[in-house]
Amino acid sequence: FEVALSVLPVALRAMAGRVGAVLVFLLATWLLEPSVAAPSAAVSAAVSASRDLQLELDTNSGDFHIFFGGQAWLVGSEYRVGTLSSLDGSLVLTKSEATLGSDALGSYLATTLHWSARGALGTVLMGTTFREYSDDPGLIVFEQSFPSEVDLKSLNAGS
């Protein structure tokens, strides 16, 4: 049988230049059921398992991998604010925290990474959050937040 699979970014919301600006990406997957009158239990289990996204997040570096159907689908390792970069060490991961919560999409486990400039470790420039939903293993939400206004001109002055 054939299975039609669609991986779709659902929403992008940005409020640029404002305190507390948030950039949200929703990654959702839908697996369209095969048009088979009575699929076997083994086929049903395989179809169900292939809907899941698995997130592997290194809370020491921020590196992440998202697996779809057991295969690497999305990989990320660099975080940037202006010219600051986690790869060259000018943007530093200073803290990670896990929290439980719920929103309109359901209950989730959120892992938030806090990022600061190398020379100002006490000031969080950006937070990046990964939300995994227990009721929908095919949904991961990425959120990028800025706790205060970021002056890109002063960040970029040294480059």
Side-chain angles (χ1 to χ4, degrees), residues 88-108:
D88 69 11
S90 57
L91 187 66
V92 179
L93 176 57
T94 56
K95 179 181 175 184
S96 66
E97 60 186 333
T99 57
L100 296 173
S102 65
D103 59 19
L105 300 174
S107 298
Y108 60 80

Side-chain angles (χ1 to χ4, degrees), residues 2-156:
E2 291 184 24
V3 176
L5 180 63
S6 173
V7 178
L8 175 68
V10 178
L12 168 60
R13 190 173 46 197
M15 299 179 297
R18 297 185 183 194
V19 174
V22 175
L23 177 63
V24 177
F25 288 98
L26 299 178
L27 292 176
T29 60
W30 288 271
L31 185 61
L32 303 177
E33 293 295 329
S35 56
V36 176
S40 69
V43 170
S44 294
V47 167
S48 176
S50 67
R51 293 183 64 156
D52 297 350
L53 294 176
Q54 294 85 37
L55 170 66
E56 289 184 5
L57 175 61
D58 182 336
T59 56
N60 294 312
S61 68
D63 293 354
F64 69 89
H65 293 77
I66 296 178
F67 295 88
F68 180 76
Q71 299 293 319
W73 177 67
L74 182 64
V75 176
S77 61
E78 182 176 24
Y79 296 81
R80 297 185 65 92
V81 176
T83 58
L84 303 180
S85 168
S86 60
L87 290 183
D88 69 11
S90 57
L91 187 66
V92 179
L93 176 57
T94 56
K95 179 181 175 184
S96 66
E97 60 186 333
T99 57
L100 296 173
S102 65
D103 59 19
L105 300 174
S107 298
Y108 60 80
L109 168 64
T111 304
T112 301
L113 308 176
H114 300 274
W115 299 90
S116 301
R118 178 178 40 224
L121 298 180
T123 303
V124 175
L125 288 177
M126 176 177 68
T128 53
T129 301
F130 299 79
R131 289 191 205 147
E132 298 175 88
Y133 288 81
S134 56
D135 294 336
D136 187 350
L139 177 66
I140 295 174
V141 174
F142 298 86
E143 179 180 38
Q144 183 180 36
S145 60
F146 300 89
S148 59
E149 186 172 2
V150 176
D151 182 2
L152 292 178
K153 284 185 180 181
S154 66
L155 286 178
N156 297 338

